[in-house]
Amino acid sequence: MAGETITRDGRIELRQRNEKWQNPPLFIDMLDCINCDACLRHCPPHFGAIFNHGADVVIIPELCSGCDKCLPVCPVDCIHPITDGAADEHAPNDWWALPLSDHDPY
Ligand code: SF4
Ligand code: SF4
């Protein structure tokens, strides 16, 4: 419906960001990440964008508002905005199983 705020469930279903989000989504540089899960615990549940994916910790860009709440808690400073092709702006297909599974931490 026009003007209606899409919920997280809606974003998961449509695989789309909220058009009103001004900040770019973030991504995790997996080469530096030490898999401590601190970011995952600090992502607000109504965004719920960070997941354990096998041995990796990943951010689904379409669920990430760019609120930056995860940034200060990362001990190795490996979370960055997706700008100028720094990373893919769309989650790979298999990541979309994460928020729909028992592994959804939110
Ligand atoms: S920027 Fe906000 S929404 Fe995006 S992953 Fe970090 S805490 Fe979650
Ligand atoms: S807080 Fe940083 S090091 Fe820890 S899991 Fe998140 S991205 Fe990786």
Side-chain angles (χ1 to χ4, degrees):
M1 213 174 286
E4 193 170 305
T5 304
I6 300 174
T7 62
R8 179 175 184 259
D9 283 347
R11 290 192 287 279
I12 291 168
E13 192 183 333
L14 299 170
R15 301 190 177 188
Q16 278 178 12
R17 293 189 91 211
N18 185 333
E19 291 173 0
K20 292 178 186 155
W21 291 345
Q22 302 284 324
N23 295 338
L26 308 188
F27 75 98
I28 294 171
D29 186 338
M30 294 181 194
L31 291 176
D32 292 332
C33 173
I34 57 170
N35 298 5
C36 69
D37 287 357
C39 55
L40 193 155
R41 291 194 300 273
H42 284 78
C43 185
H46 55 285
F47 299 135
I50 311 182
F51 300 88
N52 282 301
H53 180 250
D56 297 322
V57 180
V58 299
I59 297 176
I60 293 186
E62 289 92 334
L63 300 182
C64 172
S65 68
C67 72
D68 289 356
K69 291 250 182 340
C70 54
L71 283 181
V73 301
C74 178
V76 295
D77 201 17
C78 70
I79 308 176
H80 311 286
I82 298 179
T83 50
D84 300 331
D88 202 325
E89 290 177 27
H90 301 285
N93 243 341
D94 60 327
W95 292 11
W96 285 106
L98 301 171
L100 299 170
S101 76
D102 293 341
H103 301 296
D104 186 359
Y106 305 98

